[in-house]
Each structure stands twice: as C-alpha cells, then as structure tokens.
Amino acid sequence: MKPTQKKQQSLQAELLAPAGSLEAFFAAMEAGADAVYCGLQSFSARAKAKNFSFQDIAAMTRYVQQRDRKLFVTINTLVKEQELPALIDTLAAVEEAGVDAVILQDLGVWRVARNHFPDLELHASTQMTVHNAAGVKQLEKMGFSRGVLARELTLPEIQHIRSQTRLDLEHFIHGALCFCFSGQCYFSSYLGGKSGNRGRCTQPCRRRYSQRGKDGYYFSPNDLSAIELLPALQDAGVSSFKIEGRMKSAEYVSNVVQAYRMVMDATGKDRQSAVEDARKLLKQSFGRTPTKGFLAGRQPTDMATPALRGSTGRYLGEVTRATDNKLFFKSRDVLNLGDRIRIQPGSDKVGTAFTVKQLWAGRKPVKKLAAGAACVSHTFKGRFKPGDAVFKVSSQKAFAMSDAACRRRLQQVGAARQPLTLNVAVDNQQLIVCAEVGQVCLNASYDVDMFAAKQSPLSKEALEQVFRQCGDAPFELTTFTTGTLPDMIIPPKRLKEVRRDFYQHLQRDVENAGKKHQDQRRKRALASLLPLQSEHPAASQEVTVAIKDIREMRALDSHEIDRILVPLTTAVLHRPWKVGQRQRRGVVWDLPFVIFDQEWTTYQKAVSHLIQSGFTQFRLTNLSHFELFKKFPDVRLEASYRLFCLNSEAMQAWQELGAVSNELYIEDDADNMKQVVQRRGSHALYAMVYGSIPLITSRIRIPGLKGGQPLLSDRGDGYQVVSKAGLTVLRSDNDFSLCGALPQLYEMGCSGFVVDISHLGAFSPQGKKVLESFRQRRDLPHTSPFNFVAGME
C-alpha cells in the first residue's frame, strides 16, 4: 500500500470511554464509543463514582452487545483477605453477565479468575505499572488478552513494545494524569489510610506546597490530550484509545467521545479540520490545561505547571465578596442559568459545587451574564470567602438524561439470544420436539389433533415458520430439522400452544443450568481458599537490612544482621567480585522498579554478571523482572511490597510465578496482615519494619522545585524531594516504623523483617539509632506506623 493511500484511511483502533453513572454510559454510547469501561459498587478504583449493580451490568452488557459494542468491568483494586468470598461472588456475577473483559490489578483477582472463572477475558490495568516489553511478555504468559500501558511511555517506547508482543495494547489518550506511576502512589494512604490502590485517593498531589517561601502546585499534572497524535499512536501499535474519567459528568463523556470520534472517522485532508473542530469541543469538557504528556517525548515541559491550581473545570476568577446568600466575582466567561460552578477555597480543602439558579445584573435577575462582573445566589451561608477560586464545571447544555430515564431504557433491552438447534418429528398423534442450547438438551412430546390434508399438508417450512417466532424467549433458531412428516394438518393454534409451552420449559432449563454451573464454579472457588492455620509453622525471623550501596557490605559483619539488601545498579558490571561464601549468601540485590526498554539489556548483563559471580538472591519490584531470570532457574527471587500481597490468593500467585517469598504490603494494617500470615503455609512472608516511604515516584521533572530542599504542605507537613536516575521521588520527613510493633509481628508468625536505612546509611549516626531501636523494639520519635494501627480503607 502506498503511503498516500494509508493516510486516507480512518483510524481503526477501539475508542474506549469511561462511565461512572448510567447517564455517562448512554452519553458514551450516543457519542460513538466502541466500548465502555465501568466499575461495580465494590472493587473499583473509583469508589466515589456512582458505579453499578450486578443487575445494571447484566443489562448494560446486553445493550452494548446488541449494538456490536463492548463492556469492560473494572475490578482494579487491591483485595483484602476477608474480601475474597465477596470477590468470588463478584467474578461469578460478571462472568454470568457475559461482560467482554475484566480489568484487574491484584494478582489475587487474576488467580481466582484464571482458576475458577475461565470464561472471563482479562485485561491488565495500568495500576500494574507495565512499562516495558518484558512486562507485556509476562502478561502474555499469564493469559491476559490486553495490557493497559503505563502513561509514562513515549511513542518510540510503545512502538518497541509492540514489536515484541502480539498482546492487545491499550493506552490513555485523554483525561487526568497521576503524577506518580499508577499503582505506586502511597501519598493519600500515608496521610489518612485512604488508599489510591483501594479506590479512595484523596488527591493530595492536587494541593498547594511551599519551598523556600514559594507556593506551587508542584505535583498536580495537567490533563492529557492526544487528539493530534491518534494516527501516530495507532502506527505505534496501540489498538485501544482510552479516555479517563469515571468520576466525570455525562456532559464531559459526551463532549470528549464526540471529539475523538470525529477525528478517528476523518480521513486524509479532512483530518486536520476535524482536529480543529475537536479542540473546540474539548474546551467544553472543563478539564485542566492540556498536555501531550510523554507521548511528545521523554522530557515534556508542560506536564506540570506549579502556578496553576490543581482543580478541574474552567477557571472563572476569584471571589471578591461573599454574603450569606450571594457571591460576587469577575468572571472570565459567560454564565447562564443552569451552569454548574465550584468554589475552591484557598486552603485547598474540598470545594463546593452547585448549579446556578439565580444570576444578578445589579439588582435585576437575569438568565445570562457576559464575561465581567458576576453575582450568583447560593445557599451556603458562611462557607465562601474572598480569594476563593471559582470554576465552571459544566454548562446548561449538559447531556441531560435522568437516572430514571436511563433505567427505563435499560429495562427495554431484551435478553441476549442464544443459538437454538431444533428437531421436530410427528409420531402417532404426537408432536416430538427436541432442542439443544449450549449444553442443555430438552425433549418433549405433545398430543396433537391431526386432520387429513386436502391441500397444503404439514411441511418443514411451515413448522420452521412457527418455531422461529421465539417471542420473549432468549433464543435464536439457527438449525431446524424434521423427520418424515405425514400428509396431515395440525391446527395452527395448537402449534403455537406447543411452541409457547416448549420454549417456557427450555428457558427455565437453560437458566437453571446456567445458575447451577455458576454456583458450582463459585463453590469450588470458595472451597479452594486457604483456611486459617491452627498452628503457625516455625518462622526463621531473619533480619534483612537495606543499605545505601555495596560499600556498606561490612554491615554483614554484625551477628544481628542476617542479610543486606543492596540496590542493583549497572555499576556492578565494572566490579570484579571477590567475596566470601557467607557474604554472597547474605546479599540480596534490589532491582529498581522502573527499567525502561532502553536500559533493559544493560540490566540483563548486570544480573548475569552477578549470578556468574556467585550471587543468587534478588528482590523483584515489578512484574517484568521475572523475565530477567527466565534463564536462571536456580536463583532465589523475592517479591517486594511493590508486588502487592494483601491476600492469600495473591501470595499463591507470586509463588506460582517463581517468588520464594513476599513482603507484606507496606500500606496494609495489622488485622489484614495477620489474616494473610496465618495462611502462609511454608511460604516466607517478611514485614518491613522501618523505611522512608516513597510517597510518589514519577518520571515528571518539576520546574522550579529543588531536590534536597525541604517542602511544606499547607498543613505544615514536611517532605523531601529526591531526583535520581531520571525519576522524582517524594518522601515524608517522618520515616515509617513498626519497630515498636515487633512483638505483635513475631506473634503473627512473620518469616523475617526488613529494616530499610538505605536513605540514611548503615553507619551514619541516624542509621545506628534505627538499628538500636529495632533491637530494643521501640519506635524512634517523629516516625509513623503508616496504616498498621489505624487501618487502611
């Protein structure tokens, strides 16, 4: 095909839209989405969205499939041990509903689905931090049909991944961006137990911070908008274009889907004008300032603008005066009755949104105000102050369809029709009907009156015409046969009675068979869950200390330290190893959780060099790392807390992939940790008891922010920013410590403990204080137990 011909084609990738409500679902459908993804009322990474019941999902699935579209359900949160039975019920329900795929993060969900609900197609969420070809290859081996790539990738990096895999690749093209690699943010959880990996993020990254007296929204990225890059993304190998926004309104969904549909359907010379029209439409979506993100290159300069507030919506201005019932400000945009605005306080607390029901020009009520002086009535006495920001978040022209109207539309959706094979025979005044629907067979005989045919005797065509009318029964006659038919007539009324009765019984049998089949799968899944152990196996409870670098290897000389955790860098390639057997046994090499493809070969060489030098223990921090060791079956692979282990199914999944141990999840609380440990069997489970938590890890460079300088939140909390190896890491001034909880962790039966002082140094005064606090089983001042005591939501 000539290049000029290729340019004439419309884009064939799937357009995938979000739906956090029924109104948004129908907005996506009417605007031209090929597929929709949505969450349930549990296990959704957008817990604050309205989300959907199982009955909703079943009806929505029928709706989309009757229109040759698709529905994906997100079960993309981390699952606690006690939630596994509910997870099984959820997977059984969505499989029964016939959804097109499940999007997941937790390998516990993967294991249960793979083993007990094999009809479910599985997509790997962007929360799994898949950012290289090795990660995608691992997904292929695990049976995933699609991977949602990390948003930190450039177009050439995506293209390289495509060249290494046949897996469907999905990538975000529009919407809010996380500052952190998805799935690796602990900021919200650290501040109050509301975990982003459990769908409850409070978005502390959107707040204002101060460094050296200068305020800025340093961790609040602009919104992704790749409207001009769709052809390049498809050429790079992306087969699904994903729009973010399950928390957004139906109006947002409608505008954004229409804009991208317009560009995707345009061809040749019409595409550029379509892009211009789409941009105008996207301005009505009330998002943040647009950026192409990393799709424009490795060092985008417009991803984060510290001077811009992190709130969504079109910025109108600041409140100049507020009374008990009126709000005054200078608006940058036209205001209409029916517009929805949000008032965002300067303190960065949660804003207040309301629909404009009264506008004033002086003392005169009006329906519309031009840009300029604005006065709006409100009912929030005493809540607003001068300096608060005003944002328009939707317009009077919003996609309007009530929840009741949406439900009425769904109720009109008939059941999905199943292929029906039917044979009809006549024998001795009886009509014998035999049917097959899937694995269900039904045979029935009906007494019928037959009369000699003077003309038009009973025929296959006549019988097929009767039985093809399935009515409300969820069948579609695909194969129809008859035996030899007598030269007789059966009254049409009787044939219709037979058809109606037979289809009623067949429908009941099919429904019962489906319920029985699903119930059997559900029971087998429940029975497979690991029970609590009455006696815990003896735990070695060895002590591993994470150090700054290999120069601190002499920490192993301490009889109280069993192992050291050493950062694996490519510098090891230039070091000849002459260490004793004890030292080799005592070293665990810690892999960086981000290894882009351009670095992969170097790390392969580093791993090979270490193994040839006699080292056999490695700590993995990303799913892709298993690919590094596929040629080295005898090494010991340990899964870090970044490889989520909140339940016994996930623990077993990591075992099956080759990990000989896991670290309990850093965000977890004591109750859930105990439940997981009590099911560990012979699998080793370690607990980190000290460390500096990487609240955010990002590929984004922050303009105007100096590494090593203290950073303060508007609440007075202190943080440190470290920039290293192309990544930005935000850490709290207060370290994480469970040293005081060591007796409780010993009692649980943990296999060992990790003391991470890599940020301090093993021989620094503070590092020595930490080791002493570990020995004495007490916490140092100004440390935090994270969620261990207070719990994780």
Side-chain angles (χ1 to χ4, degrees), residues 240-281:
S240 178
F241 296 157
K242 187 172 193 173
I243 297 167
E244 182 277 337
R246 281 192 287 140
M247 292 291 293
K248 299 291 181 67
S249 67
E251 179 186 19
Y252 168 91
V253 172
S254 179
N255 286 339
V256 175
V257 173
Q258 283 185 66
Y260 280 89
R261 183 81 271 162
M262 187 187 305
V263 174
M264 289 177 68
D265 291 345
T267 58
K269 62 182 181 181
D270 296 329
R271 183 165 291 146
Q272 188 53 45
S273 62
V275 167
E276 295 303 321
D277 291 341
R279 280 203 195 103
K280 295 174 184 176
L281 193 54

mmCIF file of all heavy atoms in Angstrom, residues 240-281:
data_model
loop_
_atom_site.group_PDB
_atom_site.id
_atom_site.type_symbol
_atom_site.label_atom_id
_atom_site.label_comp_id
_atom_site.label_asym_id
_atom_site.label_seq_id
_atom_site.Cartn_x
_atom_site.Cartn_y
_atom_site.Cartn_z
ATOM 1 N N SER A 240 -6.293 0.205 21.368
ATOM 2 C CA SER A 240 -7.434 0.765 22.092
ATOM 3 C C SER A 240 -7.053 2.123 22.654
ATOM 4 O O SER A 240 -6.074 2.254 23.388
ATOM 5 C CB SER A 240 -7.867 -0.167 23.232
ATOM 6 O OG SER A 240 -8.944 0.393 23.963
ATOM 7 N N PHE A 241 -7.825 3.147 22.285
ATOM 8 C CA PHE A 241 -7.620 4.516 22.777
ATOM 9 C C PHE A 241 -8.549 4.729 23.969
ATOM 10 O O PHE A 241 -9.776 4.717 23.820
ATOM 11 C CB PHE A 241 -7.963 5.543 21.692
ATOM 12 C CG PHE A 241 -7.066 5.489 20.473
ATOM 13 C CD1 PHE A 241 -7.511 5.995 19.258
ATOM 14 C CD2 PHE A 241 -5.789 4.949 20.540
ATOM 15 C CE1 PHE A 241 -6.702 5.968 18.134
ATOM 16 C CE2 PHE A 241 -4.968 4.919 19.424
ATOM 17 C CZ PHE A 241 -5.423 5.423 18.217
ATOM 18 N N LYS A 242 -7.959 4.968 25.124
ATOM 19 C CA LYS A 242 -8.741 5.021 26.364
ATOM 20 C C LYS A 242 -8.885 6.445 26.879
ATOM 21 O O LYS A 242 -7.900 7.182 27.001
ATOM 22 C CB LYS A 242 -8.073 4.151 27.428
ATOM 23 C CG LYS A 242 -8.877 3.984 28.715
ATOM 24 C CD LYS A 242 -8.220 2.945 29.601
ATOM 25 C CE LYS A 242 -9.135 2.502 30.730
ATOM 26 N NZ LYS A 242 -8.543 1.361 31.474
ATOM 27 N N ILE A 243 -10.108 6.815 27.235
ATOM 28 C CA ILE A 243 -10.411 8.121 27.819
ATOM 29 C C ILE A 243 -10.576 7.931 29.330
ATOM 30 O O ILE A 243 -11.325 7.051 29.766
ATOM 31 C CB ILE A 243 -11.693 8.710 27.205
ATOM 32 C CG1 ILE A 243 -11.489 8.961 25.706
ATOM 33 C CG2 ILE A 243 -12.098 9.992 27.916
ATOM 34 C CD1 ILE A 243 -12.775 9.245 24.955
ATOM 35 N N GLU A 244 -9.890 8.750 30.114
ATOM 36 C CA GLU A 244 -10.026 8.700 31.574
ATOM 37 C C GLU A 244 -11.268 9.488 31.976
ATOM 38 O O GLU A 244 -11.646 10.431 31.304
ATOM 39 C CB GLU A 244 -8.774 9.305 32.213
ATOM 40 C CG GLU A 244 -8.748 9.278 33.738
ATOM 41 C CD GLU A 244 -9.497 10.425 34.393
ATOM 42 O OE1 GLU A 244 -9.674 11.477 33.740
ATOM 43 O OE2 GLU A 244 -9.918 10.271 35.554
ATOM 44 N N GLY A 245 -11.911 9.091 33.099
ATOM 45 C CA GLY A 245 -12.995 9.949 33.564
ATOM 46 C C GLY A 245 -14.207 9.277 34.167
ATOM 47 O O GLY A 245 -15.329 9.734 33.941
ATOM 48 N N ARG A 246 -14.036 8.227 34.970
ATOM 49 C CA ARG A 246 -15.215 7.605 35.585
ATOM 50 C C ARG A 246 -15.815 8.465 36.692
ATOM 51 O O ARG A 246 -16.913 8.179 37.153
ATOM 52 C CB ARG A 246 -14.868 6.213 36.123
ATOM 53 C CG ARG A 246 -14.833 5.175 35.026
ATOM 54 C CD ARG A 246 -14.778 3.775 35.570
ATOM 55 N NE ARG A 246 -13.476 3.468 36.114
ATOM 56 C CZ ARG A 246 -13.272 2.782 37.230
ATOM 57 N NH1 ARG A 246 -14.297 2.382 37.954
ATOM 58 N NH2 ARG A 246 -12.053 2.510 37.636
ATOM 59 N N MET A 247 -15.091 9.501 37.097
ATOM 60 C CA MET A 247 -15.644 10.437 38.075
ATOM 61 C C MET A 247 -16.264 11.654 37.384
ATOM 62 O O MET A 247 -16.776 12.550 38.054
ATOM 63 C CB MET A 247 -14.542 10.904 39.036
ATOM 64 C CG MET A 247 -14.015 9.819 39.951
ATOM 65 S SD MET A 247 -15.225 9.314 41.180
ATOM 66 C CE MET A 247 -15.334 10.799 42.166
ATOM 67 N N LYS A 248 -16.212 11.685 36.069
ATOM 68 C CA LYS A 248 -16.654 12.873 35.333
ATOM 69 C C LYS A 248 -18.139 12.765 34.952
ATOM 70 O O LYS A 248 -18.730 11.682 34.941
ATOM 71 C CB LYS A 248 -15.807 13.033 34.067
ATOM 72 C CG LYS A 248 -14.318 13.222 34.345
ATOM 73 C CD LYS A 248 -14.039 14.573 34.989
ATOM 74 C CE LYS A 248 -12.541 14.776 35.252
ATOM 75 N NZ LYS A 248 -11.775 14.885 34.023
ATOM 76 N N SER A 249 -18.684 13.918 34.573
ATOM 77 C CA SER A 249 -20.102 14.012 34.237
ATOM 78 C C SER A 249 -20.398 13.407 32.871
ATOM 79 O O SER A 249 -19.501 13.187 32.052
ATOM 80 C CB SER A 249 -20.539 15.471 34.234
ATOM 81 O OG SER A 249 -19.900 16.154 33.157
ATOM 82 N N ALA A 250 -21.678 13.190 32.620
ATOM 83 C CA ALA A 250 -22.102 12.705 31.308
ATOM 84 C C ALA A 250 -21.773 13.723 30.227
ATOM 85 O O ALA A 250 -21.454 13.356 29.093
ATOM 86 C CB ALA A 250 -23.601 12.411 31.328
ATOM 87 N N GLU A 251 -21.840 15.000 30.577
ATOM 88 C CA GLU A 251 -21.502 16.046 29.605
ATOM 89 C C GLU A 251 -20.045 15.923 29.169
ATOM 90 O O GLU A 251 -19.730 16.010 27.977
ATOM 91 C CB GLU A 251 -21.738 17.428 30.219
ATOM 92 C CG GLU A 251 -21.373 18.570 29.274
ATOM 93 C CD GLU A 251 -21.471 19.931 29.948
ATOM 94 O OE1 GLU A 251 -21.461 20.001 31.186
ATOM 95 O OE2 GLU A 251 -21.537 20.927 29.214
ATOM 96 N N TYR A 252 -19.159 15.724 30.137
ATOM 97 C CA TYR A 252 -17.739 15.528 29.828
ATOM 98 C C TYR A 252 -17.568 14.330 28.898
ATOM 99 O O TYR A 252 -16.881 14.415 27.873
ATOM 100 C CB TYR A 252 -16.965 15.319 31.126
ATOM 101 C CG TYR A 252 -15.542 14.826 30.942
ATOM 102 C CD1 TYR A 252 -14.478 15.714 30.832
ATOM 103 C CD2 TYR A 252 -15.258 13.463 30.892
ATOM 104 C CE1 TYR A 252 -13.181 15.269 30.669
ATOM 105 C CE2 TYR A 252 -13.966 12.998 30.724
ATOM 106 C CZ TYR A 252 -12.929 13.904 30.614
ATOM 107 O OH TYR A 252 -11.651 13.442 30.448
ATOM 108 N N VAL A 253 -18.172 13.215 29.260
ATOM 109 C CA VAL A 253 -18.035 11.994 28.457
ATOM 110 C C VAL A 253 -18.542 12.231 27.044
ATOM 111 O O VAL A 253 -17.899 11.863 26.052
ATOM 112 C CB VAL A 253 -18.780 10.821 29.127
ATOM 113 C CG1 VAL A 253 -18.802 9.598 28.205
ATOM 114 C CG2 VAL A 253 -18.131 10.467 30.463
ATOM 115 N N SER A 254 -19.694 12.879 26.927
ATOM 116 C CA SER A 254 -20.280 13.127 25.618
ATOM 117 C C SER A 254 -19.367 13.997 24.756
ATOM 118 O O SER A 254 -19.080 13.673 23.595
ATOM 119 C CB SER A 254 -21.642 13.803 25.784
ATOM 120 O OG SER A 254 -22.214 14.084 24.526
ATOM 121 N N ASN A 255 -18.884 15.107 25.312
ATOM 122 C CA ASN A 255 -18.034 16.020 24.541
ATOM 123 C C ASN A 255 -16.729 15.368 24.107
ATOM 124 O O ASN A 255 -16.302 15.491 22.955
ATOM 125 C CB ASN A 255 -17.728 17.272 25.370
ATOM 126 C CG ASN A 255 -18.912 18.211 25.476
ATOM 127 O OD1 ASN A 255 -19.826 18.167 24.652
ATOM 128 N ND2 ASN A 255 -18.916 19.045 26.488
ATOM 129 N N VAL A 256 -16.088 14.672 25.033
ATOM 130 C CA VAL A 256 -14.778 14.094 24.732
ATOM 131 C C VAL A 256 -14.899 12.952 23.732
ATOM 132 O O VAL A 256 -14.115 12.851 22.780
ATOM 133 C CB VAL A 256 -14.080 13.637 26.031
ATOM 134 C CG1 VAL A 256 -12.766 12.927 25.708
ATOM 135 C CG2 VAL A 256 -13.820 14.827 26.944
ATOM 136 N N VAL A 257 -15.888 12.088 23.923
ATOM 137 C CA VAL A 257 -16.054 10.972 22.976
ATOM 138 C C VAL A 257 -16.386 11.511 21.588
ATOM 139 O O VAL A 257 -15.835 11.040 20.576
ATOM 140 C CB VAL A 257 -17.139 9.993 23.471
ATOM 141 C CG1 VAL A 257 -17.432 8.934 22.399
ATOM 142 C CG2 VAL A 257 -16.687 9.311 24.754
ATOM 143 N N GLN A 258 -17.279 12.493 21.506
ATOM 144 C CA GLN A 258 -17.602 13.088 20.200
ATOM 145 C C GLN A 258 -16.359 13.652 19.522
ATOM 146 O O GLN A 258 -16.151 13.470 18.312
ATOM 147 C CB GLN A 258 -18.623 14.213 20.386
ATOM 148 C CG GLN A 258 -20.046 13.759 20.610
ATOM 149 C CD GLN A 258 -20.984 14.955 20.662
ATOM 150 O OE1 GLN A 258 -21.165 15.648 19.667
ATOM 151 N NE2 GLN A 258 -21.561 15.196 21.829
ATOM 152 N N ALA A 259 -15.523 14.332 20.305
ATOM 153 C CA ALA A 259 -14.327 14.953 19.731
ATOM 154 C C ALA A 259 -13.392 13.894 19.151
ATOM 155 O O ALA A 259 -12.909 14.035 18.011
ATOM 156 C CB ALA A 259 -13.611 15.769 20.807
ATOM 157 N N TYR A 260 -13.137 12.843 19.898
ATOM 158 C CA TYR A 260 -12.204 11.822 19.414
ATOM 159 C C TYR A 260 -12.825 10.982 18.301
ATOM 160 O O TYR A 260 -12.127 10.570 17.366
ATOM 161 C CB TYR A 260 -11.727 10.954 20.580
ATOM 162 C CG TYR A 260 -10.633 11.639 21.362
ATOM 163 C CD1 TYR A 260 -10.933 12.491 22.424
ATOM 164 C CD2 TYR A 260 -9.304 11.487 21.006
ATOM 165 C CE1 TYR A 260 -9.940 13.153 23.118
ATOM 166 C CE2 TYR A 260 -8.292 12.133 21.698
ATOM 167 C CZ TYR A 260 -8.618 12.973 22.752
ATOM 168 O OH TYR A 260 -7.619 13.629 23.429
ATOM 169 N N ARG A 261 -14.125 10.752 18.370
ATOM 170 C CA ARG A 261 -14.798 10.036 17.285
ATOM 171 C C ARG A 261 -14.692 10.809 15.978
ATOM 172 O O ARG A 261 -14.465 10.244 14.904
ATOM 173 C CB ARG A 261 -16.276 9.824 17.655
ATOM 174 C CG ARG A 261 -17.100 9.024 16.655
ATOM 175 C CD ARG A 261 -16.888 7.534 16.841
ATOM 176 N NE ARG A 261 -15.790 6.997 16.081
ATOM 177 C CZ ARG A 261 -15.216 5.825 16.360
ATOM 178 N NH1 ARG A 261 -15.599 5.086 17.378
ATOM 179 N NH2 ARG A 261 -14.233 5.385 15.624
ATOM 180 N N MET A 262 -14.841 12.110 16.081
ATOM 181 C CA MET A 262 -14.773 12.980 14.911
ATOM 182 C C MET A 262 -13.418 12.838 14.210
ATOM 183 O O MET A 262 -13.332 12.701 12.985
ATOM 184 C CB MET A 262 -14.983 14.430 15.382
ATOM 185 C CG MET A 262 -15.101 15.468 14.290
ATOM 186 S SD MET A 262 -15.146 17.133 15.054
ATOM 187 C CE MET A 262 -16.512 16.970 16.194
ATOM 188 N N VAL A 263 -12.346 12.839 14.997
ATOM 189 C CA VAL A 263 -11.006 12.751 14.427
ATOM 190 C C VAL A 263 -10.721 11.347 13.918
ATOM 191 O O VAL A 263 -10.116 11.165 12.854
ATOM 192 C CB VAL A 263 -9.956 13.184 15.473
ATOM 193 C CG1 VAL A 263 -8.537 12.968 14.952
ATOM 194 C CG2 VAL A 263 -10.168 14.647 15.847
ATOM 195 N N MET A 264 -11.172 10.342 14.638
ATOM 196 C CA MET A 264 -10.904 8.961 14.228
ATOM 197 C C MET A 264 -11.610 8.609 12.931
ATOM 198 O O MET A 264 -11.099 7.818 12.130
ATOM 199 C CB MET A 264 -11.322 7.994 15.343
ATOM 200 C CG MET A 264 -10.421 8.048 16.566
ATOM 201 S SD MET A 264 -10.986 6.972 17.911
ATOM 202 C CE MET A 264 -10.712 5.352 17.185
ATOM 203 N N ASP A 265 -12.771 9.189 12.707
ATOM 204 C CA ASP A 265 -13.542 8.871 11.497
ATOM 205 C C ASP A 265 -13.124 9.704 10.291
ATOM 206 O O ASP A 265 -13.489 9.385 9.156
ATOM 207 C CB ASP A 265 -15.035 9.057 11.760
ATOM 208 C CG ASP A 265 -15.592 8.004 12.714
ATOM 209 O OD1 ASP A 265 -14.898 6.990 12.938
ATOM 210 O OD2 ASP A 265 -16.698 8.202 13.231
ATOM 211 N N ALA A 266 -12.390 10.783 10.543
ATOM 212 C CA ALA A 266 -11.964 11.647 9.438
ATOM 213 C C ALA A 266 -10.861 10.964 8.639
ATOM 214 O O ALA A 266 -10.100 10.152 9.161
ATOM 215 C CB ALA A 266 -11.485 12.986 9.975
ATOM 216 N N THR A 267 -10.778 11.296 7.367
ATOM 217 C CA THR A 267 -9.755 10.711 6.503
ATOM 218 C C THR A 267 -8.998 11.808 5.763
ATOM 219 O O THR A 267 -9.526 12.896 5.514
ATOM 220 C CB THR A 267 -10.375 9.758 5.466
ATOM 221 O OG1 THR A 267 -11.326 10.487 4.679
ATOM 222 C CG2 THR A 267 -11.062 8.586 6.144
ATOM 223 N N GLY A 268 -7.744 11.497 5.442
ATOM 224 C CA GLY A 268 -6.953 12.363 4.582
ATOM 225 C C GLY A 268 -6.925 13.807 4.991
ATOM 226 O O GLY A 268 -6.707 14.156 6.150
ATOM 227 N N LYS A 269 -7.195 14.671 4.002
ATOM 228 C CA LYS A 269 -7.092 16.115 4.214
ATOM 229 C C LYS A 269 -8.160 16.637 5.172
ATOM 230 O O LYS A 269 -8.036 17.752 5.695
ATOM 231 C CB LYS A 269 -7.207 16.846 2.882
ATOM 232 C CG LYS A 269 -8.549 16.623 2.174
ATOM 233 C CD LYS A 269 -8.573 17.333 0.837
ATOM 234 C CE LYS A 269 -9.933 17.125 0.137
ATOM 235 N NZ LYS A 269 -9.966 17.805 -1.183
ATOM 236 N N ASP A 270 -9.214 15.829 5.427
ATOM 237 C CA ASP A 270 -10.270 16.273 6.340
ATOM 238 C C ASP A 270 -9.863 16.142 7.801
ATOM 239 O O ASP A 270 -10.509 16.716 8.685
ATOM 240 C CB ASP A 270 -11.546 15.457 6.106
ATOM 241 C CG ASP A 270 -12.115 15.673 4.714
ATOM 242 O OD1 ASP A 270 -11.926 16.792 4.185
ATOM 243 O OD2 ASP A 270 -12.738 14.737 4.175
ATOM 244 N N ARG A 271 -8.792 15.383 8.064
ATOM 245 C CA ARG A 271 -8.457 15.111 9.462
ATOM 246 C C ARG A 271 -8.015 16.366 10.200
ATOM 247 O O ARG A 271 -8.385 16.572 11.358
ATOM 248 C CB ARG A 271 -7.384 14.024 9.554
ATOM 249 C CG ARG A 271 -7.052 13.642 11.006
ATOM 250 C CD ARG A 271 -6.282 12.346 11.104
ATOM 251 N NE ARG A 271 -7.118 11.220 10.746
ATOM 252 C CZ ARG A 271 -6.678 10.131 10.122
ATOM 253 N NH1 ARG A 271 -5.408 10.054 9.768
ATOM 254 N NH2 ARG A 271 -7.497 9.139 9.828
ATOM 255 N N GLN A 272 -7.235 17.229 9.570
ATOM 256 C CA GLN A 272 -6.752 18.416 10.263
ATOM 257 C C GLN A 272 -7.903 19.339 10.647
ATOM 258 O O GLN A 272 -7.926 19.894 11.752
ATOM 259 C CB GLN A 272 -5.738 19.184 9.399
ATOM 260 C CG GLN A 272 -5.055 20.338 10.133
ATOM 261 C CD GLN A 272 -4.415 19.912 11.437
ATOM 262 O OE1 GLN A 272 -3.736 18.882 11.507
ATOM 263 N NE2 GLN A 272 -4.649 20.675 12.497
ATOM 264 N N SER A 273 -8.871 19.500 9.762
ATOM 265 C CA SER A 273 -10.023 20.335 10.118
ATOM 266 C C SER A 273 -10.843 19.668 11.217
ATOM 267 O O SER A 273 -11.406 20.345 12.082
ATOM 268 C CB SER A 273 -10.894 20.591 8.887
ATOM 269 O OG SER A 273 -11.418 19.378 8.370
ATOM 270 N N ALA A 274 -10.883 18.323 11.211
ATOM 271 C CA ALA A 274 -11.581 17.605 12.276
ATOM 272 C C ALA A 274 -10.890 17.826 13.622
ATOM 273 O O ALA A 274 -11.541 17.970 14.663
ATOM 274 C CB ALA A 274 -11.648 16.109 11.951
ATOM 275 N N VAL A 275 -9.562 17.878 13.593
ATOM 276 C CA VAL A 275 -8.811 18.133 14.823
ATOM 277 C C VAL A 275 -9.144 19.517 15.365
ATOM 278 O O VAL A 275 -9.341 19.703 16.580
ATOM 279 C CB VAL A 275 -7.293 17.989 14.570
ATOM 280 C CG1 VAL A 275 -6.494 18.552 15.749
ATOM 281 C CG2 VAL A 275 -6.923 16.532 14.338
ATOM 282 N N GLU A 276 -9.234 20.506 14.482
ATOM 283 C CA GLU A 276 -9.558 21.857 14.923
ATOM 284 C C GLU A 276 -10.950 21.907 15.540
ATOM 285 O O GLU A 276 -11.165 22.535 16.578
ATOM 286 C CB GLU A 276 -9.464 22.829 13.743
ATOM 287 C CG GLU A 276 -8.052 22.985 13.174
ATOM 288 C CD GLU A 276 -7.054 23.437 14.221
ATOM 289 O OE1 GLU A 276 -7.419 24.289 15.056
ATOM 290 O OE2 GLU A 276 -5.914 22.928 14.217
ATOM 291 N N ASP A 277 -11.915 21.252 14.902
ATOM 292 C CA ASP A 277 -13.280 21.210 15.446
ATOM 293 C C ASP A 277 -13.304 20.462 16.776
ATOM 294 O O ASP A 277 -14.031 20.842 17.701
ATOM 295 C CB ASP A 277 -14.225 20.537 14.450
ATOM 296 C CG ASP A 277 -14.454 21.379 13.206
ATOM 297 O OD1 ASP A 277 -14.191 22.601 13.258
ATOM 298 O OD2 ASP A 277 -14.882 20.813 12.171
ATOM 299 N N ALA A 278 -12.513 19.391 16.855
ATOM 300 C CA ALA A 278 -12.479 18.595 18.084
ATOM 301 C C ALA A 278 -11.908 19.398 19.241
ATOM 302 O O ALA A 278 -12.390 19.307 20.379
ATOM 303 C CB ALA A 278 -11.661 17.326 17.864
ATOM 304 N N ARG A 279 -10.887 20.205 18.950
ATOM 305 C CA ARG A 279 -10.299 21.028 20.004
ATOM 306 C C ARG A 279 -11.343 21.976 20.606
ATOM 307 O O ARG A 279 -11.387 22.191 21.816
ATOM 308 C CB ARG A 279 -9.142 21.849 19.434
ATOM 309 C CG ARG A 279 -7.836 21.079 19.283
ATOM 310 C CD ARG A 279 -6.669 22.067 19.263
ATOM 311 N NE ARG A 279 -5.447 21.453 18.776
ATOM 312 C CZ ARG A 279 -4.959 21.628 17.555
ATOM 313 N NH1 ARG A 279 -5.605 22.393 16.694
ATOM 314 N NH2 ARG A 279 -3.830 21.053 17.197
ATOM 315 N N LYS A 280 -12.170 22.555 19.741
ATOM 316 C CA LYS A 280 -13.223 23.463 20.228
ATOM 317 C C LYS A 280 -14.197 22.717 21.130
ATOM 318 O O LYS A 280 -14.641 23.236 22.156
ATOM 319 C CB LYS A 280 -13.972 24.072 19.037
ATOM 320 C CG LYS A 280 -13.101 24.973 18.169
ATOM 321 C CD LYS A 280 -13.863 25.424 16.926
ATOM 322 C CE LYS A 280 -12.966 26.246 16.007
ATOM 323 N NZ LYS A 280 -13.671 26.628 14.740
ATOM 324 N N LEU A 281 -14.518 21.484 20.744
ATOM 325 C CA LEU A 281 -15.434 20.679 21.544
ATOM 326 C C LEU A 281 -14.799 20.310 22.882
ATOM 327 O O LEU A 281 -15.467 20.309 23.929
ATOM 328 C CB LEU A 281 -15.824 19.424 20.765
ATOM 329 C CG LEU A 281 -17.002 18.591 21.273
ATOM 330 C CD1 LEU A 281 -18.247 19.447 21.437
ATOM 331 C CD2 LEU A 281 -17.271 17.440 20.316
#
